[in-house]
Amino acid sequence: MQQKILEIKNLSKSYGETVALANFSLDLGKGEVLGLLGPNGAGKTTLISILSGTLRGFSGGVAFKGQDLFADRNLRNLIGIVPQEMAFYEELNAMENLMFWGGLYAIPEKELKKRAQELLTVVELGARAREPIKKFSGGMKRRLNIAIGLIHKPELLLLDEPTVGIDVQAKVSILDIIRDVGRQGTAVVFTTHQLAEVEQACSRIAIMDKGTILAQGTLAELIRIVGEKEIVEVSGEFSADAFSAIIRQSDGNGMEILSVADNQAHLAFADSQAIPAMMQHLFGHHLPISDLKIKSPNLEAVFLKMTGRSLRD
Amino acid sequence: MSRTTLIIRNDIKRRLKAPMATILFLIIPLAMTAVIGMVFDPGADNRTKLPPIRLLVVDNDKDLAAKFLLGALDQKELKDMFQVTLTDAAAGEALMRKGKASAMLVIPERFSDDLADQKPTALEVVRNPGEEFLPGVAEEFAATLAVGFSGLAQVFAGELKVIRSVRNLSLESVTIADMTPFLETARAKIIALKTYLSPMLLSVAATTTKKPGQENRPSGFNIFSYIFPGMLIMFLLFIVEPSLREIQNERADGKTRRMMFSPLTGRELVTARIFSGWLLGVLVSLLAMAAGTLLFGIDWGNLLLQLALVAAACFCCAALFAMLNAFFRNKNQAGAFASPIILVFSAFGGSMLPLEQLPAGMRWIGGFTVNHWFITGCRKIMDGHAPVASLAVLAAAGLFFAAIAMVALPRRLDA
């Protein structure tokens, strides 16, 4: 692995009886873009809040460049943060915002101005640098939010769901920016519950649920967990119990149940030849099936295998 | 540029870019002062009356003009306004010292003779320093009397001499025929009278019973200068409060998290916010005071003292809200509590009702409000005195609040 930037060891945090993080451990190297994938309540925001220094009462440790992140406040100056909220001043224009946020890092004005102009070009806001932000679209605001997080050339960038509430085109643009940031040597931690986003932008993916990492690796490594299996998604007006009962009556033939819920189930087949026989079995039991989809192994299948539920659940 | 200065500059810049709220809070107190001033102006009509002014009169003349003046004070309209007590100078001063009167009107010896002889003379008004504006009303009344008596004395100079010469005669010996030419002349003069004559024969010399050596600046009563300081401090609270509530808003929208990742410390942020609130308050106050002078003719007195008072009051307001925000859990709580706190301060502190008309209990509570100390300080300056107590209380309270805020508030921001 490249030079370690971030080392999280046995981080635990509870809210009363609810465990948000349970012995969470993770390493991150220079220039790595880590996608932290998990459903709502997986503990992603808790992790970001602890790393941001806004949440206390946890156990475990976080080292940044080999030093305790919480022991030396100056270390935090090397981290950039992009909160889920639009954390900038809407009364100011994009350039004024960058000058203000950069000013907090005592960057000389001339250098700061140059850096702000460069960043505005990177996030494709160069032509609108002096326009009131109130006129910006959601995607433009998200891009500015990222640019502010990068104004002081951080070594680690934390992004908390940076693509929430924007259209597909804007998402693509933001994911491109995140990838480029990683290429330039900045380590990135990026939380999301969108599978396609981590597939597109991240060099490493960690699947998280119930406060812990279930699996991590590159996309290819994770897909190998599922194996070279065909994934069948079955939808219809059935209950999870009825579906399970019918499946149990079949001989399986190398089939693996990834998830079963009311109205939808996911099955993995090592041998694609076994799929028609299983479908016949299901139809033979008059299961009201309305849709069948056969997919290649993907991250969604990995997630289903690891958590037993889909990200939408 | 320091980080604190950067935040202050940024805050002011943002307020200037979105100035509507500030402008509204500048206009509203002016508009309210105008409306209340017009409604409560004693000269407007008789719907609203001032409390009776306890006026002591020392008659050292005891002649015709003095009797005429005392007779005027016995007329119904003036009786409603003045509670007149005839006394002598020594007893009068003793009553004033005990706070039993608002002012003392001294009619000098030979007052009637001097008027008849067209010689300058002066009515003396001694003001009670313990009261804010009722002595001013008494002084204004005496000034009006002076104008009226001067005019009458000059127009009817001849007639006054005749009256003086016959005042000791038996009225039975004067016939209607004797009086007819005299009355006819007087009537012609009244008809011909268009303007007062000058120079004034009668003037008013006002003094305030104060410590020896202190100068007094006579001032007339202006209802607007009575109302406006209260309105100003109430809306100053409304103007300063959002600058400090911004801390809660920024906590909610992620800006604080972002700031705390920069070298900026929680204390620097709190300091910056107190001073940006303070600066904004001072700037708006100065604008409001200038507008008050232009629109209502308010004489603020010593401007340097007013500036010091405004600076102390704005600091106290900003520090107070910084401290309160250390105890508010979130922006909703801050938003919900801010306006009621301001309104309670304003009600008890004299912004909504004159301090003199508040019940004693309310006045006592009012002593714990910024409004009370600002209003009393403002009036002191308008009356020509230094508002030492107000400045001391506002500055000390501001420092106390700021100290608590500097300890408690950063804990909420900086983990």
Side-chain angles (χ1 to χ4, degrees):
Chain A
M1 188 191 262
Q2 309 96 315
Q3 180 198 340
K4 276 186 185 173
I5 288 285
L6 185 70
E7 293 168 86
I8 301 171
K9 278 187 185 152
N10 302 321
L11 209 56
S12 295
K13 167 76 188 172
S14 298
Y15 300 100
E17 297 288 304
T18 312
V19 177
L21 286 178
N23 286 319
F24 183 96
S25 296
L26 182 80
D27 289 348
L28 190 68
K30 191 170 188 244
E32 257 195 306
V33 178
L34 174 79
L36 214 50
L37 185 68
N40 290 332
K44 303 185 302 284
T45 302
T46 301
L47 175 67
I48 292 285
S49 300
I50 289 173
L51 296 178
S52 310
T54 54
L55 195 58
R56 296 179 188 187
F58 56 87
S59 63
V62 180
F64 178 72
K65 297 178 85 180
Q67 290 177 271
D68 183 355
L69 177 63
F70 307 112
D72 183 359
R73 199 182 183 281
N74 292 328
L75 282 178
R76 277 201 253 164
N77 303 344
L78 302 174
I79 299 175
I81 181 145
V82 181
Q84 202 176 117
E85 305 86 6
M86 305 293 189
F88 48 73
Y89 296 103
E90 297 234 350
E91 304 92 331
L92 307 179
N93 61 39
M95 177 55 97
E96 287 168 334
N97 262 293
L98 285 166
M99 293 299 286
F100 168 73
W101 291 101
L104 293 178
Y105 291 88
I107 304 168
E109 196 172 336
K110 205 173 163 186
E111 191 186 321
L112 178 59
K113 205 168 183 179
K114 192 169 163 241
R115 173 80 180 147
Q117 278 163 345
E118 280 169 10
L119 276 172
L120 286 170
T121 308
V122 169
V123 298
E124 298 165 22
L125 291 172
R128 310 188 70 165
R130 309 271 175 196
E131 275 184 33
I133 291 175
K134 282 171 189 163
K135 291 184 182 173
F136 281 16
S137 66
M140 291 163 76
K141 286 179 181 176
R142 288 269 167 215
R143 297 205 298 272
L144 176 63
N145 211 18
I146 294 174
I148 293 170
L150 292 167
I151 188 71
H152 59 294
K153 295 185 180 171
E155 294 185 37
L156 169 66
L157 184 66
L158 303 174
L159 296 118
D160 191 7
E161 310 230 6
T163 56
V164 169
I166 53 173
D167 59 43
V168 177
Q169 202 182 347
K171 271 183 193 173
V172 170
S173 166
I174 284 174
L175 295 173
D176 285 345
I177 293 166
I178 292 170
R179 237 189 344 247
D180 287 344
V181 169
R183 275 193 208 115
Q184 284 161 24
T186 303
V188 179
V189 176
F190 152 42
T191 70
T192 182
H193 56 263
Q194 299 288 325
L195 290 161
E197 289 181 4
V198 288
E199 283 180 343
Q200 198 178 332
C202 302
S203 56
R204 195 149 63 93
I205 299 160
I207 295 177
M208 210 182 152
D209 196 23
K210 295 174 184 166
T212 189
I213 288 184
L214 302 175
Q216 60 172 310
T218 61
L219 183 60
E221 285 167 352
L222 288 173
I223 287 172
R224 274 202 290 277
I225 294 172
V226 180
E228 296 298 314
K229 291 180 178 176
E230 299 286 353
I231 311 298
V232 177
E233 183 181 287
V234 185
S235 305
E237 298 284 319
F238 52 78
S239 68
D241 291 343
F243 188 90
S244 300
I246 294 168
I247 285 289
R248 275 197 293 273
Q249 292 168 25
S250 75
D251 57 8
N253 203 10
M255 181 206 67
E256 186 187 351
I257 299 171
L258 294 179
S259 72
V260 180
D262 288 345
N263 306 322
Q264 195 168 64
H266 291 86
L267 307 170
F269 291 85
D271 178 7
S272 59
Q273 301 297 317
I275 297 174
M278 176 55 71
M279 292 307 115
Q280 209 167 9
H281 175 74
L282 293 175
F283 285 117
H285 284 82
H286 305 290
L287 196 73
I289 295 170
S290 58
D291 195 20
L292 278 174
K293 282 180 190 157
I294 301 175
K295 300 174 178 176
S296 299
N298 59 12
L299 199 52
E300 189 177 7
V302 180
F303 193 85
L304 283 165
K305 184 176 171 61
M306 302 308 300
T307 64
R309 57 195 173 116
S310 94
L311 267 172
R312 290 184 296 273
D313 295 344
Chain B
M1 190 189 305
S2 75
R3 288 182 287 271
T4 309
T5 316
L6 182 72
I7 290 176
I8 294 170
R9 200 180 70 165
N10 190 50
D11 284 357
I12 299 295
K13 191 186 212 176
R14 289 191 296 117
R15 285 286 190 119
L16 291 176
K17 286 207 171 195
M20 273 317 291
T22 309
I23 289 172
L24 267 180
F25 282 137
L26 177 63
I27 291 172
I28 292 171
L30 289 165
M32 284 179 75
T33 301
V35 171
I36 296 170
M38 282 187 278
V39 171
F40 281 83
D41 187 353
D45 55 33
N46 289 326
R47 278 176 301 168
T48 310
K49 288 171 185 167
L50 291 168
I53 300 165
R54 292 164 301 172
L55 181 68
L56 303 175
V57 177
V58 179
D59 184 3
N60 293 327
D61 179 38
K62 296 186 173 59
D63 207 341
L64 191 67
K67 282 175 184 157
F68 186 63
L69 194 154
L70 289 169
L73 284 168
D74 205 33
Q75 297 302 304
K76 190 189 176 306
E77 289 79 6
L78 290 178
K79 249 179 148 172
D80 290 343
M81 193 186 285
F82 293 101
Q83 206 175 72
V84 177
T85 308
L86 267 174
T87 183
D88 59 57
E93 279 180 18
L95 286 170
M96 292 273 282
R97 272 196 298 274
K98 288 179 188 166
K100 303 273 185 195
S102 300
M104 183 165 71
L105 178 67
V106 182
I107 304 169
E109 285 179 24
R110 291 189 48 76
F111 177 63
S112 305
D113 289 342
D114 287 344
L115 281 178
D117 295 340
Q118 304 286 293
K119 288 181 187 168
T121 182
L123 286 170
E124 188 187 357
V125 177
V126 183
R127 297 160 58 119
N128 183 343
E131 293 187 14
E132 294 292 339
F133 82 100
L134 293 181
V137 179
E139 188 186 328
E140 191 75 7
F141 168 72
T144 308
L145 278 181
V147 172
F149 270 76
S150 292
L152 286 171
Q154 288 178 72
V155 173
F156 298 106
E159 288 74 11
L160 277 172
K161 280 181 184 150
V162 173
I163 290 168
R164 201 159 55 142
S165 66
V166 300
R167 67 186 168 182
N168 293 325
L169 295 178
S170 163
L171 280 175
E172 287 78 19
S173 64
V174 182
T175 65
I176 296 294
D178 293 333
M179 292 296 292
T180 302
F182 169 75
L183 293 172
E184 186 56 35
T185 314
R187 193 180 77 86
K189 282 186 177 176
I190 290 166
I191 292 166
L193 184 63
K194 298 282 184 207
T195 56
Y196 292 128
L197 301 179
S198 60
M200 294 272 285
L201 286 179
L202 180 60
S203 62
V204 174
T207 55
T208 304
T209 50
K210 283 295 289 179
K211 291 170 191 166
Q214 278 195 330
E215 286 183 16
N216 299 303
R217 189 181 55 80
S219 62
F221 177 69
N222 177 342
I223 186 83
F224 299 109
S225 57
Y226 183 64
I227 297 166
F228 193 57
M231 287 292 145
L232 179 59
I233 186 66
M234 177 160 78
F235 283 89
L236 258 185
L237 284 162
F238 277 116
I239 287 168
V240 172
E241 186 274 327
S243 291
L244 281 304
R245 193 175 355 137
E246 186 79 345
I247 290 174
Q248 297 284 0
N249 295 338
E250 288 177 345
R251 280 181 69 207
D253 67 17
K255 291 192 197 86
T256 303
R257 205 191 316 181
R258 188 164 248 169
M259 283 177 183
M260 292 301 105
F261 259 67
S262 76
L264 182 78
T265 63
R267 262 184 203 176
E268 283 176 320
L269 179 60
V270 175
T271 307
R273 281 283 139 73
I274 289 176
F275 279 93
S276 61
W278 172 80
L279 185 59
L280 190 77
V282 170
L283 292 174
V284 171
S285 301
L286 295 180
L287 279 174
M289 288 166 81
T293 303
L294 288 172
L295 295 173
F296 309 127
I298 295 173
D299 179 3
W300 295 96
N302 186 320
L303 289 179
L304 275 177
L305 283 174
Q306 283 289 6
L307 185 64
L309 183 70
V310 162
C314 290
F315 173 62
C316 191
C317 294
L320 169 72
F321 283 110
M323 181 188 73
L324 291 175
N325 274 287
F327 301 109
F328 294 145
R329 292 175 71 87
N330 51 45
K331 68 171 186 176
N332 296 333
Q333 214 173 67
F337 278 101
S339 295
I341 287 171
I342 293 172
L343 292 174
V344 168
F345 267 46
S346 302
F348 284 84
S351 286
M352 293 177 177
L353 290 166
L355 285 169
E356 295 80 358
Q357 295 196 349
L358 293 175
M362 276 181 80
R363 266 208 303 267
W364 184 82
I365 297 169
F368 294 95
T369 65
V370 183
N371 305 53
H372 169 92
W373 291 103
F374 179 77
I375 294 166
T376 50
C378 229
R379 288 190 193 153
K380 283 258 179 211
I381 299 171
M382 286 173 173
D383 284 344
H385 311 298
V388 181
S390 289
L391 282 173
V393 169
L394 289 170
L399 287 171
F400 175 69
F401 298 147
I404 294 176
M406 295 297 267
V407 172
L409 195 45
R411 286 185 188 170
R412 286 193 171 271
L413 312 172
D414 198 4

